[in-house]
Amino acid sequence: MKHVSTCLSVLVLSTLLFPGSIRGQTSQPTTGKGGTGVSATSAPGGLSTISVANYGARGDGSADDTAAINSAMSACVARALPHNGCVLYFPAGVYITTGLTLRSYVNIKGDGWGASVLLLKPHTAANVLTVPVDAFNFSITGLTLDGNSENGGSGNCFFVAPTSKEPAEWNTANKQTAPVNAQKWGHVEEVMFSHCSVDGIHINAFNYMLFFDNFYVFDNGVYGIYTEGTNSGFTNFQIERNGTAGIHLAGSNDRFTSGEVIWNGGTVGTEAAVYVSGARNIITAVETEDSYTNGFFDKGNDNVFMGCVSDSNGYAPKNVDASSRVASGFVIAGSGGVYIGDKVTSYRSRLPDGNFTTEWPYRLENRDNGKIDITYDSTNKPPRTR
């Protein structure tokens, strides 16, 4: 009897001290017509984390979760501790939206790309996620942004609004608001940008300090990445099957490092897998492969291409067994460029039509460049000068 009373005393004391430990085990997942939704329990991470499920987001691939997500985001930026921000958590699920606008100090976290998905509502014209002109100091991790173009979605996956020029408009991480923040201090990691009718990532001028790592850009209508921004970094990426170019770089002082750009240019083949028209950019250890267009096209000033490889680019439109007969591994049309340790090759050699995928290893359209060190094999002709 003494033993039973002791156990009851411990149970009562535990309930008083840790009431959440019992409630957390009895919560039920939210369900909807699209199937099982997400659990409306507390998100991991403590007091600084808000789960969108606790504000009514279902994540069932059927209900429109836009209003619920916006309510959760408003609660996030109203937090007193930490000041103006929190982790906004998306449990695994498919969240239908009509487009979301990110706010300063919001750190979006999902359970991984393919697990936590923001899906644009069918027949909706909007960007999946917009960074407005006044936003800065944010992050996005473990999420898929899906433009749903197959079902009438129209827009970009990730859109950074244009800002005015001049560093005077920068607002560093001082936890204050400002009408314009050109210096974004945004970090994006382990995110997939897919199935958007326009671009996977679209960065307007003059946005600074955006950092992307370990990301995948897949099956977008025009560009994988289009950027007019500056002083930003992109590392460890796969950019695949975008309509015009995998990367269209019109900004300056950006860095692209360690990635593959493959199967691009299937809709418009006049640019390149990597097309650069900006200045003072550095592209390192990037491989372009199996595209329906040129490998690299430099039309800018003072850009650096170091250790880059163009492999089997230049297929005929919609025909991987025929050469377009016009593509080059590198088109050098800018000035002041430096090309060190670059290579043009073809793992396929001659195609069934008897031609090489890459018609010319490189095409030199402007001799005013710093250094050109491009080797080649398995291509059709030596370099030519226009």
Side-chain angles (χ1 to χ4, degrees):
M1 186 69 182
K2 181 178 179 181
H3 176 71
V4 173
S5 63
T6 302
C7 292
L8 289 173
S9 299
V10 171
L11 179 60
V12 171
L13 182 61
S14 298
T15 304
L16 292 173
L17 292 177
F18 308 107
S21 64
I22 294 179
R23 287 200 300 269
Q25 296 174 19
T26 59
S27 60
Q28 298 296 320
T30 304
T31 58
K33 290 186 292 183
T36 301
V38 299
S39 174
T41 59
S42 297
L47 293 177
S48 64
T49 300
I50 287 178
S51 173
V52 297
N54 289 336
Y55 286 78
R58 301 172 72 91
D60 59 7
S62 177
D64 187 339
D65 288 324
T66 307
I69 295 170
N70 284 333
S71 293
M73 196 176 312
S74 295
C76 185
V77 298
R79 279 291 175 92
L81 290 173
H83 180 59
N84 286 344
C86 74
V87 173
L88 187 64
Y89 174 57
F90 287 78
V94 178
Y95 299 86
I96 302 293
T97 86
T98 54
L100 299 170
T101 299
L102 189 61
R103 298 170 68 175
S104 298
Y105 317 120
V106 173
N107 300 285
I108 291 178
K109 185 182 186 306
D111 283 333
W113 70 32
S116 299
V117 180
L118 297 182
L119 180 65
L120 194 64
K121 190 174 182 178
H123 309 293
T124 299
N127 302 309
V128 181
L129 185 61
T130 294
V131 178
V133 67
D134 62 341
F136 84 123
N137 200 349
F138 57 84
S139 68
I140 308 167
T141 307
L143 205 68
T144 291
L145 306 182
D146 191 321
N148 205 9
S149 58
E150 186 176 311
N151 293 302
S154 177
N156 302 283
C157 293
F158 182 79
F159 181 84
V160 183
T163 71
S164 302
K165 194 176 179 181
E166 300 303 335
E169 292 172 340
W170 294 357
N171 182 13
T172 54
N174 56 9
K175 298 296 185 183
Q176 302 297 316
T177 58
V180 175
N181 282 306
Q183 195 170 7
K184 293 301 182 186
W185 290 108
H187 180 212
V188 180
E189 184 173 4
E190 298 182 9
V191 174
M192 180 176 178
F193 309 85
S194 62
H195 309 310
C196 286
S197 68
V198 189
D199 304 335
I201 299 170
H202 189 106
I203 303 170
N204 283 287
F206 293 89
N207 292 287
Y208 292 68
M209 302 301 179
L210 287 157
F211 303 100
F212 295 76
D213 183 42
N214 190 22
F215 63 98
Y216 185 29
V217 186
F218 176 73
D219 187 35
N220 297 290
V222 185
Y223 296 115
I225 300 175
Y226 177 91
T227 178
E228 296 178 0
T230 183
N231 290 88
S232 294
F234 305 78
T235 59
N236 304 316
F237 51 81
Q238 178 88 0
I239 300 176
E240 182 177 351
R241 299 182 190 274
N242 301 285
T244 298
I247 299 171
H248 184 112
L249 177 49
S252 60
N253 301 317
D254 291 319
R255 287 84 60 197
F256 284 81
T257 304
S258 184
E260 183 176 47
V261 186
I262 186 171
W263 294 114
N264 295 281
T267 304
V268 177
T270 56
E271 291 192 10
V274 175
Y275 184 92
V276 183
S277 60
R280 302 178 304 281
N281 299 288
I282 301 174
I283 296 91
T284 307
V286 172
E287 180 179 16
T288 60
E289 184 177 351
D290 286 327
S291 292
Y292 301 89
T293 180
N294 303 288
F296 297 86
F297 198 130
D298 182 12
K299 201 173 182 180
N301 301 315
D302 303 317
N303 295 302
V304 176
F305 296 77
M306 185 165 55
C308 295
V309 176
S310 174
D311 186 357
S312 300
N313 295 291
Y315 296 130
K318 299 181 180 180
N319 186 357
V320 297
D321 290 328
S323 171
S324 67
R325 303 297 304 275
V326 297
S328 299
F330 286 78
V331 179
I332 303 172
S335 63
V338 174
Y339 311 84
I340 301 176
D342 300 315
K343 187 174 180 64
V344 181
T345 187
S346 173
Y347 74 90
R348 294 192 64 182
S349 297
R350 291 186 184 273
L351 297 173
D353 70 347
N355 298 301
F356 292 93
T357 50
T358 303
E359 185 71 3
W360 300 287
Y362 62 86
R363 194 163 73 238
L364 184 61
E365 298 187 352
N366 186 349
R367 292 183 177 273
D368 182 21
N369 285 280
K371 182 178 178 62
I372 299 176
D373 173 23
I374 301 175
T375 60
Y376 59 91
D377 59 22
S378 301
T379 53
N380 193 25
K381 297 178 181 179
R384 74 173 191 174
T385 304
R386 284 188 171 182

